[in-house]
């Protein structure tokens, strides 16, 4: 698409201005989590500044790029940098020359990238250089001149403007197009003075945030639709104002409408005549419009204007220009609401109404209703309802969302002498709308939504991450409000040699009131097992990874400044779980703490110890009501808990499940006895007898095809490698799964060991690492001996060992 065509799409209306203004506000919130990009890229820019790239240092430079590529929110997939590293090992001078040309601003950008790609492919046809790699390398050279690249973000950004042309798979062409789009945005930032001294990272960040943060893009969608609703509402009240607006429309757009309606009859002929008069420069007002209507109507015996008022007749002349964009933005909100309940079976693509309305007449209101798949129409269902706009005749105006009861439901209920009521939240000012508020409302009404619609267990696709039915139908749904510790623990999609013993240890500990810590070597499936335990008991869970800098602020909570500067108590990860319940009507949520020993336990858990053992704890923090925050356990004979803003009740069936790597067990002794005696430590070991039959079982569980890789059956090769690894560092099947997935695609055992095994050898004696490598070279897997220099080189660089 040409640059001018792109600009025409981007700046067709005020969407871009709304988006930029909201983006700048969003960057000041705690939800914005992209600051690390500028920090990392600035370091790389400084590192490369005035650096001469040559064959002698190109590997060092690539290693630096590898080390700076963030593990979370990485700039490029590691395999790209790994391929680049291999290439540089073989041809350092050639790669150095490619780097220098890539960074030559005087040459054509597309040519620079294409030369890098083509030369690399001549070296090795299987080499993989994605567009994101060049985004990283170029932004690492200059974040002011070049943007990082995220393929999905760029595609979604273009799609949001109705630009659905397939992006070429040519890396150079794709980045060049992206670069031009970022330049368009950069110029606009400068022209409108939105950002002081903007650079390419600002343009990239805007695209990324606008496609990845629901809190941002849903807010933008709502404000955009609200603006259209407001304009349309004003036109519905003042036709002369509508006609004055039409006179100022772009002549090319009017010409398109003129051609569209030319030769049509009835209402479309009226539209044609209006377009014709405006294009000819003739005066058009309400009186002229009435004359046109009468002339057209008199051609027909029937009353062709019975259902049409002036606003509806003129409506498409305004709306056709924005129809596609409006529907894109409605769909964003629609999908964002469905995503709140990912495991629920909703009716697909029904019922969404843009400003044309169900009758296709046109109005100042758009809306949609989300309802269960088993319902034929929205009128027969309780709906998750959302609307923007409306007029004095409509039931809801402005921005409204919540639970709406279909007309047919209440007709049936009224005959029985009962009636259900809507539960709708209305916002007059779009600036007051937030995605979080909307999510909270829909979660709040979801139980009633399911109850009124008669939702059964089969309407839930899959219980995942604690998502489960909360209808209160205990016997029907099989979810209990109190945990049944007599249930058998079912471990799905995991394999343990002593599964029966392991299940018995876990169930006994939990039944006796203990919290548990799963202890074992890396990769034994501890984290997955923790989730399976929760699912076995039908209990929701929240999973967090412990951090070394955890304090009671993270776990219990503390004061935080509100927007107006006032302090309020912000709940930590534990207190968010301890919601008050009434009449046993709330489901218990357990906490999974991955790598629990990373945290300074006594510092992080603090007063929770006392509360977990039955003591009532009063914190020094105060709630909004001015009362001190209280944490207390649920009492055995307590049937109803009084809901209080300042009170948190720990359910008697609440449990913590922690995980800990065996190699970190020395930190276990840093935990206080007070902490340790509240937990049962459950060993999760590595299989004792590892052979091809055992690996075949795992391959079946993982869904990986057993095939021959370089004349060695995958199951046999994995069994041999696993046994060699375990002689020096015992690891679980999850690490072998990583190796299996890599080898089954790439056929490269050496890379798999470098990527997934050797990082686990930190702390192993130097002599043992050398012996480990020698055993790999002697194994039946020839890939290790063929790539001996590469594996030796990695061990030398990573561990500082001379091979």
């Amino acid at each position: 698409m040409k640059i001018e065509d792109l600009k025409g799409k981007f700046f067709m209306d005020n969407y871009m201005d709304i988006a930029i203004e909201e983006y700048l506000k969003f960057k000041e919130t705690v939800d914005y989590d992209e600051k690390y990009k500028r920090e990392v890229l600035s370091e790389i820019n400084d590192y490369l500044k005035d650096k001469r790239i040559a064959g002698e240092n190109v590997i060092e430079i690539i290693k630096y790029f590898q080390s700076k590529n963030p593990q979370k929110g990485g700039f490029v997939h590691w395999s790209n940098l790994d391929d680049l590293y291999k290439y540089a090992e073989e041809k350092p001078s050639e790669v150095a020359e490619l780097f220098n040309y890539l960074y030559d601003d005087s040459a054509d950008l597309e040519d620079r990238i294409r030369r890098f790609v083509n030369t690399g492919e001549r070296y090795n046809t299987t080499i993989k250089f994605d567009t994101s790699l060049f985004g990283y390398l170029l932004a690492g050279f200059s974040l002011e001149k070049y943007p990082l690249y995220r393929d999905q973000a760029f595609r979604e950004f273009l799609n949001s403007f109705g630009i659905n042309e397939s992006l070429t798979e040519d890396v150079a062409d794709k980045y060049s197009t992206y670069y031009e789009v970022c330049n368009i945005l950069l110029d606009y930032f400068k022209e409108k003075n939105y950002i002081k001294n903007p650079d390419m990272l600002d343009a990239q960040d805007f695209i990324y945030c606008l496609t990845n943060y629901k809190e941002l893009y849903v807010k933008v969608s709502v404000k955009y639709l609200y603006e259209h609703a407001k304009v349309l509402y004003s036109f519905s009240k003042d036709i002369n104002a509508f006609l004055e607006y039409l006179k100022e429309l772009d002549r090319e757009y009017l010409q398109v409408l003129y051609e569209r309606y030319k030769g049509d009859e009835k209402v479309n002929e009226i539209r044609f005549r209006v377009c014709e008069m405006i294009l000819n420069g003739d005066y058009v007002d309400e009186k002229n419009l009435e004359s046109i209507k009468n002339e057209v109507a008199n051609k027909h015996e029937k009353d062709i204007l019975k259902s049409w008022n002036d606003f509806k007749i003129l409506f498409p002349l305004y709306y056709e220009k924005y129809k596609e964009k409006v529907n894109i933005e409605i769909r964003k909100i629609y999908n964002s609401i469905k995503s709140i309940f990912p495991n629920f079976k909703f009716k697909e693509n029904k019922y969404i109404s843009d400003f044309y309305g169900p009758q296709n007449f046109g109005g100042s209101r758009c809306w949609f209703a989300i309802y269960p798949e088993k319902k034929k129409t929205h009128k027969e269902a309780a709906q998750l309802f959302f609307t923007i706009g409306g007029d004095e005749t409509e039931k809801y105006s402005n921005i409204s969302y919540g639970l709406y009861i279909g007309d047919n439901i209440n007709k049936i209920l009224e005959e029985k002498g009962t009636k259900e009521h809507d539960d709708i939240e209305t916002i007059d000012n779009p600036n007051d709308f937030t995605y979080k508020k909307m999510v909270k409302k829909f979660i709040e009404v979801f139980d009633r939504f399911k109850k009124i619609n008669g939702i059964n267990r089969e309407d839930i696709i899959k219980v995942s991450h604690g998502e489960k039915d909360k209808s209160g139908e205990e016997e029907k749904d099989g979810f209990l409000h109190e945990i049944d510790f007599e249930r058998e623990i079912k471990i799905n999609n995991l394999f343990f040699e002593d599964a029966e013993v392991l299940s018995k240890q876990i169930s006994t500990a939990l039944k006796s009131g203990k919290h548990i810590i799963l202890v074992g070597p890396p990769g034994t499936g501890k984290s997955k097992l923790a989730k399976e335990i929760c699912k076995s008991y039908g209990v929701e869970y929240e999973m967090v990874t412990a951090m070394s800098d955890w304090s009671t602020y993270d776990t219990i909570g503390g004061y935080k400044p509100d927007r107006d500067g006032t302090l309020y108590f912000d709940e930590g990860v534990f207190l968010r779980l301890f919601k008050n319940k009434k009449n046993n009507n709330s489901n218990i949520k357990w906490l999974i703490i991955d790598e629990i020993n990373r945290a300074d336990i006594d510092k992080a858990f603090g007063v929770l110890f006392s509360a977990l053992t039955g003591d009532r704890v009063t914190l020094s923090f105060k709630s909004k009501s001015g009362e001190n925050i209280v944490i207390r356990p649920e009492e055995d004979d307590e049937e109803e808990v009084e809901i209080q803003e300042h009170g948190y009740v720990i359910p008697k069936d609440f449990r913590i499940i922690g995980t800990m790597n065996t190699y970190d067990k020395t930190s276990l002794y840093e935990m206080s006895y007070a902490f340790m005696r509240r937990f049962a430590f459950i060993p999760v070991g590595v299989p004792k007898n590892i052979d091809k039959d055992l690996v075949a079982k795992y391959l079946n569980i993982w869904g990986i095809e057993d095939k021959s890789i370089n004349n060695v059956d995958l199951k046999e090769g994995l069994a041999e490698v696993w046994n060699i690894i375990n002689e020096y560092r015992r690891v679980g099947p999850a690490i072998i799964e990583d190796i299996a997935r890599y080898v089954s695609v790439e056929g490269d055992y050496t890379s798999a060991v470098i990527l997934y095994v050797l990082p686990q050898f930190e702390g192993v004696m130097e002599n043992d690492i050398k012996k480990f490598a020698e055993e790999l070279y002697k194994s039946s897997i020839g890939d290790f001996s063929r790539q001996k220099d590469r594996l030796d080189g990695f061990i030398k660089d990573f561990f500082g060992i001379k091979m």
Side-chain angles (χ1 to χ4, degrees):
M1 183 174 280
K2 296 178 180 178
I3 296 299
E4 290 307 313
D5 293 334
L6 286 171
K7 289 181 179 179
K9 286 282 191 177
F10 292 159
F11 309 116
M12 174 184 67
D13 53 24
N14 65 343
Y15 175 84
M16 191 66 79
D17 295 291
I18 293 171
I20 296 171
E21 288 169 2
E22 290 302 321
Y23 159 72
L24 295 175
K25 294 177 189 174
F26 177 74
K27 284 186 71 175
E28 301 302 317
T29 69
V30 294
D31 294 315
Y32 178 74
D33 193 24
E34 304 301 316
K35 292 180 181 178
Y36 72 94
K37 292 177 181 176
R38 187 170 295 277
E39 295 168 0
V40 173
L41 291 174
S42 294
E43 288 182 24
I44 303 174
N45 285 187
D46 290 341
Y47 170 78
L48 289 177
K49 189 176 182 181
D50 301 325
K51 185 178 286 290
R52 178 182 171 275
I53 303 176
E56 296 78 31
N57 67 353
V58 70
I59 290 178
E60 171 201 317
I61 290 170
I62 295 170
K63 286 176 68 176
Y64 186 78
F65 270 101
Q66 287 179 315
S67 69
K68 289 299 179 181
N69 188 32
Q71 289 187 345
K72 181 181 178 182
F75 301 146
V76 59
H77 193 271
W78 60 266
S79 61
N80 279 247
L81 291 168
D82 191 49
D83 281 350
L84 183 57
Y85 184 89
K86 295 175 192 174
Y87 183 15
E89 280 187 316
E90 294 286 331
K91 296 180 176 290
S93 297
E94 182 173 289
V95 175
E97 191 276 330
L98 290 173
F99 262 94
N100 285 312
Y101 186 58
L102 182 68
Y103 292 157
D104 182 0
D105 291 334
S106 65
D108 177 72
L109 175 62
E110 194 171 325
D111 183 64
R112 289 184 264 159
I113 297 173
R114 182 164 286 113
R115 180 172 169 182
F116 206 122
V117 173
N118 291 343
T119 308
E121 288 179 348
R122 282 197 295 272
Y123 153 72
N124 186 339
T125 56
T126 64
I127 205 164
K128 184 69 173 175
F129 289 158
D130 287 339
T131 314
S132 57
L133 173 66
F134 294 100
Y136 182 31
L137 296 180
L138 286 163
F141 174 66
S142 174
L143 65 85
E144 295 181 353
K145 296 179 181 178
Y146 302 104
L148 291 169
Y149 180 86
R150 293 287 182 90
D151 192 75
Q152 189 64 28
F154 186 40
R155 290 176 189 275
E156 289 182 12
F157 181 75
L158 293 179
N159 288 340
S160 71
F161 291 96
I163 303 171
N164 299 315
E165 296 179 4
S166 297
L167 287 175
T168 173
E169 291 308 309
D170 182 274
V171 170
D173 186 39
K174 187 159 53 174
Y175 187 82
S176 180
T177 301
Y178 174 67
Y179 177 79
E180 293 296 340
V181 168
C182 289
N183 265 318
I184 292 172
L185 294 173
L186 203 57
D187 290 342
Y188 197 68
F189 292 161
K190 295 174 183 176
E191 176 191 336
K192 294 280 189 163
N193 200 28
Y194 277 123
I195 301 174
K196 187 177 181 180
N197 299 321
D199 53 34
M200 275 297 191
L201 188 57
D202 290 311
Q204 181 274 334
D205 193 53
F206 172 70
I207 291 173
Y208 182 79
C209 290
L210 195 59
T211 53
N212 281 270
Y213 284 94
K214 290 178 184 175
E215 184 69 26
L216 173 60
Y217 70 70
V218 172
K219 177 69 172 283
V220 172
S221 298
V222 168
K223 292 195 74 173
Y224 175 76
L225 295 173
Y226 183 87
E227 288 299 314
H228 278 294
K230 190 169 66 173
V231 170
L232 287 167
Y233 178 79
S234 69
F235 288 163
S236 72
K237 300 304 174 188
D238 189 343
I239 294 303
N240 278 322
F242 200 165
L243 289 166
E244 287 298 319
Y245 169 85
L246 295 177
K247 293 174 189 176
E248 301 301 320
L249 281 175
D250 177 76
R251 287 301 184 261
E252 287 186 16
Y253 172 64
L254 276 171
Q255 189 66 41
V256 170
L257 294 174
Y258 172 85
E259 296 296 336
R260 176 182 299 178
Y261 297 128
K262 187 177 182 180
D264 271 1
E265 298 180 341
K266 301 179 181 179
V267 175
N268 279 347
E269 184 181 352
I270 299 171
R271 292 165 179 158
F272 165 75
R273 295 273 297 274
V274 171
C275 291
E276 183 179 45
M277 290 184 71
I278 296 173
L279 286 169
N280 290 336
D282 297 331
Y283 182 73
V284 185
D285 61 8
E286 193 170 359
K287 185 177 179 181
N288 300 135
L289 178 61
E290 194 64 29
S291 297
I292 296 171
K293 287 164 52 183
N294 290 333
E295 289 175 20
V296 174
N298 289 335
K299 294 180 182 181
H300 304 273
E301 293 182 4
K302 293 183 179 180
D303 183 4
I304 64 167
L305 300 178
K306 183 178 181 180
S307 302
W308 298 91
N309 60 27
D310 292 347
F311 171 74
K312 292 176 181 177
I313 293 170
L314 298 176
F315 175 84
L317 305 186
Y318 168 89
Y319 188 60
E320 280 299 314
K321 183 176 183 180
Y322 309 112
K323 178 184 175 182
E324 182 182 27
K325 180 63 175 168
V326 164
N327 278 276
I328 289 170
E329 298 310 310
I330 293 174
R331 180 69 62 175
K332 287 181 186 177
I333 305 171
Y334 175 84
N335 288 332
S336 77
I337 294 172
K338 286 182 65 177
S339 72
I340 302 170
F341 311 102
N343 304 314
F344 193 85
K345 294 180 181 179
F346 292 111
K347 198 85 163 183
E348 285 300 319
N349 302 321
K350 297 280 187 176
Y351 189 93
I352 303 174
S353 173
D354 69 357
F355 288 108
Y356 261 123
Q359 305 300 322
N360 214 37
F361 284 131
S364 56
R365 176 179 180 241
C366 63
W367 59 279
F368 57 78
I370 302 176
Y371 55 99
E373 184 182 65
K374 67 181 184 180
K375 297 292 183 180
K376 291 183 179 179
T377 73
H378 64 293
K379 292 184 178 181
E380 296 179 0
Q383 310 155 18
L384 300 181
F385 185 80
F386 184 95
T387 184
I388 293 178
D391 56 38
E392 70 276 5
T393 65
E394 300 290 351
K395 189 171 184 180
Y396 302 113
S397 61
N398 299 323
I399 303 163
S400 301
Y401 50 81
L403 184 71
Y404 181 77
I405 310 301
D407 296 339
N408 292 352
I409 290 181
N410 265 330
K411 286 179 182 177
I412 297 170
L413 292 175
E414 283 174 2
E415 293 175 1
K416 297 178 180 180
T418 61
K419 189 176 181 179
E420 289 288 349
H421 62 276
D422 304 331
D423 189 352
I424 301 291
E425 189 166 307
T426 299
I427 297 174
D428 296 326
N429 187 337
N431 291 317
D432 295 333
F433 172 88
T434 70
Y435 177 69
K436 289 178 181 176
K437 285 181 183 177
M438 184 181 73
V439 170
K440 182 180 179 183
K441 184 63 179 180
F442 282 120
I443 291 175
E444 180 185 302
V445 302
F446 197 59
D447 283 349
R448 279 191 66 216
F449 169 83
K450 290 186 292 183
K451 182 179 179 182
I452 296 169
N453 285 315
I455 300 304
N456 297 316
R457 179 77 176 272
E458 60 267 21
D459 296 299
I460 309 298
I461 296 173
K462 182 182 179 183
V463 177
S464 173
H465 267 288
E467 296 287 343
K468 67 179 188 179
D469 182 60
K470 301 177 186 176
S471 64
E473 302 288 334
E474 292 186 9
E475 294 299 322
K476 183 194 291 188
D477 293 330
F479 292 117
L480 303 179
H481 295 301
E482 293 186 0
I483 308 302
D484 179 10
F485 285 106
E486 299 298 330
R487 284 189 181 191
E488 178 185 353
I489 294 179
K490 295 179 180 179
I491 302 173
N492 298 314
N493 300 318
L494 291 172
F495 176 79
F496 298 99
E497 277 188 336
D498 299 320
E500 187 175 342
V501 173
L502 180 62
S503 296
K504 187 68 176 176
Q505 290 175 333
I506 293 168
S507 61
T508 301
L510 293 172
K511 184 179 178 181
S512 64
K514 290 285 189 181
H515 306 281
I516 63 173
I517 293 181
L518 306 173
V519 183
T524 48
K526 299 182 292 297
S527 301
K528 291 180 180 178
L529 175 58
K531 297 175 187 177
E532 291 298 326
I533 293 168
C534 294
K535 291 177 184 178
S536 290
Y537 287 115
V539 64
E540 297 182 71
Y541 64 86
E542 181 166 330
M543 188 170 192
V544 296
T545 300
M547 304 297 288
S548 60
D549 60 353
W550 259 13
S551 67
T552 53
Y553 181 89
D554 303 286
T555 57
I556 305 299
Y559 286 132
K560 186 176 181 180
D562 211 337
R563 288 185 178 180
D564 60 3
T566 59
L567 295 177
Y568 70 97
F569 180 74
D570 186 37
E571 300 168 342
V573 63
F574 294 120
L575 293 199
R576 285 200 300 272
L577 301 175
F578 304 150
K579 298 302 181 186
N580 291 312
K581 68 175 189 173
K582 192 169 185 177
N583 296 326
N584 290 326
N585 212 22
S586 292
N587 288 286
I588 296 167
K589 182 180 279 191
W590 286 3
L591 179 66
I592 299 174
I593 308 178
D594 211 16
E595 300 183 52
I596 190 170
N597 50 294
R598 278 191 181 187
D600 182 336
I601 298 300
D602 291 315
K603 172 185 169 186
F605 285 62
V607 298
L608 187 67
F609 289 150
S610 300
L612 288 177
T613 52
D615 295 333
R616 180 187 181 97
V617 177
T618 301
L619 304 181
S620 59
F621 304 107
K622 296 183 183 294
S623 67
K624 289 183 179 179
S625 64
E627 297 181 87
N628 285 74
I629 302 293
V630 173
I631 310 173
R632 69 174 180 84
E634 178 187 0
E635 297 176 8
D636 289 337
D637 58 350
E638 196 169 15
E639 294 183 358
E640 179 174 330
V641 176
E642 181 183 358
I643 297 177
Q644 296 175 324
E645 181 193 3
H646 67 285
Y648 292 84
V649 178
I650 304 177
K652 58 178 177 287
D653 291 338
F654 167 76
R655 297 290 186 273
I656 296 172
I657 302 177
T659 72
M660 177 188 293
N661 284 334
T662 307
Y663 305 134
D664 299 324
K665 66 184 179 182
T666 52
S667 61
L668 174 64
Y669 301 107
E670 296 174 8
M671 300 177 185
S672 68
Y673 177 74
F675 175 83
M676 291 176 62
R677 66 187 177 87
R678 287 165 173 77
F679 285 77
F681 292 80
I682 311 292
V684 183
V686 173
K688 298 180 182 67
N689 301 309
I690 299 170
D691 57 23
K692 65 180 183 180
D693 294 331
L694 176 70
V695 174
K697 292 179 182 178
Y698 277 112
L699 290 174
N700 184 52
I701 291 172
W702 299 331
I704 300 174
E705 179 186 359
D706 181 22
K707 56 186 177 181
S708 177
I709 308 290
N710 297 325
N711 299 319
V712 178
D713 284 343
L714 182 59
K715 62 178 178 292
E716 294 177 352
L718 291 172
E720 185 174 6
V721 169
W722 197 354
N723 278 308
I724 293 173
I725 295 168
N726 279 354
E727 289 181 32
Y728 304 94
R729 175 71 94 190
R730 293 185 68 77
V731 299
I735 291 173
I736 306 306
E737 180 184 357
D738 290 334
I739 297 173
R741 292 195 183 282
Y742 189 93
V743 170
S744 65
V745 175
E746 300 293 337
D748 180 1
Y749 277 89
T750 304
S751 290
V753 167
I754 288 172
L755 292 168
Y756 304 114
V757 178
L758 286 174
Q760 303 291 337
F761 273 52
E762 194 70 46
V764 173
M765 299 292 290
E766 178 177 325
N767 200 43
D768 285 339
I769 294 175
K770 288 182 177 179
K771 288 181 181 178
F772 168 69
E774 288 302 320
E775 283 207 46
L776 291 179
Y777 301 143
K778 294 175 185 177
S779 71
S780 63
I781 302 169
D783 184 69
F784 292 120
S785 57
R786 285 192 296 272
Q787 298 199 60
K788 182 177 185 298
D789 290 343
R790 181 163 167 256
L791 188 57
D792 281 353
F794 179 86
I795 292 173
K796 177 182 177 182
D797 292 336
F798 192 85
F799 297 103
I801 297 174
K802 187 175 181 180
M803 297 296 288

